[in-house]
Amino acid sequence: IEGNTPSVELNWKTVSEQNNDFFTVWRSFNGTDWDIIQHIDGAENSNELIAYQYIDRKLPVRDFIDYTIYYKLSQTDLDGSTEFFPIISIQCKAPKTHMVKKTNLLGQDIDPNYKGIVIEIWNNGETSKSYRP
């Protein structure tokens, strides 16, 4: 998340390219229905390492929090033939921004003067433990 905007950075590399016209980045929220989100020009012909990157900044916040987003990449040659690469999944979680609750080991709410083991429950469901002497 950059500021309040969720984003996913996708990176890939090629060690050589032959007749590569372009790459297509696809996105799905269910793994079945796919949308093209970007075309990226290829190098046509190359024998050098080339790094590519796309940052997906057009994510609805409601779908970004505790959600899986699927991406796939395809590469299209100058003759129109296309190759698809394996699907990857990104598990997105809400950032841990604020504590929702503090309890003791028995799950009882505690006050600021409590001494002992403290369980902290965060807004994204994560927990952490600390000890107050």
Side-chain angles (χ1 to χ4, degrees), residues 59-83:
L59 296 169
V61 174
R62 64 175 174 76
D63 289 337
F64 190 78
I65 297 172
D66 295 328
Y67 207 81
T68 301
I69 302 172
Y70 302 92
Y71 291 94
K72 66 181 175 181
L73 182 70
S74 64
Q75 181 271 317
T76 303
D77 284 342
L78 294 171
D79 68 3
S81 61
T82 301
E83 177 182 2

Side-chain angles (χ1 to χ4, degrees), residues 5 7 11 18-19 22-23 30 44-46 51 55 63 71 80 94 103 109 111 118 131 133:
T5 306
S7 64
N11 296 285
Q18 185 175 2
N19 298 318
F22 61 90
F23 292 98
N30 61 15
E44 289 190 19
N45 296 296
S46 170
I55 299 176
D63 289 337
Y71 291 94
T103 68
D109 290 338
D111 64 46
V118 175
Y131 178 75

Side-chain angles (χ1 to χ4, degrees), residues 36-53:
I36 294 172
I37 57 173
Q38 187 68 36
H39 289 288
I40 297 171
D41 290 338
E44 289 190 19
N45 296 296
S46 170
N47 288 318
E48 298 177 10
L49 180 68
I50 300 176
Y52 293 91
Q53 179 184 71

Side-chain angles (χ1 to χ4, degrees), residues 69-132:
I69 302 172
Y70 302 92
Y71 291 94
K72 66 181 175 181
L73 182 70
S74 64
Q75 181 271 317
T76 303
D77 284 342
L78 294 171
D79 68 3
S81 61
T82 301
E83 177 182 2
F84 284 86
F85 298 94
I87 295 168
I88 62 168
S89 61
I90 307 294
Q91 182 64 43
C92 304
K93 289 195 82 169
K96 186 166 75 170
T97 58
H98 63 278
M99 202 173 312
V100 175
K101 189 176 189 179
K102 287 185 182 185
T103 68
N104 62 18
L105 286 172
L106 299 175
Q108 301 164 325
D109 290 338
I110 58 171
D111 64 46
N113 299 321
Y114 178 81
K115 298 200 184 316
I117 295 177
V118 175
I119 310 293
E120 301 162 328
I121 302 169
W122 296 85
N123 65 301
N124 67 352
E126 290 184 29
T127 58
S128 55
K129 294 181 231 173
S130 62
Y131 178 75
R132 291 187 188 163

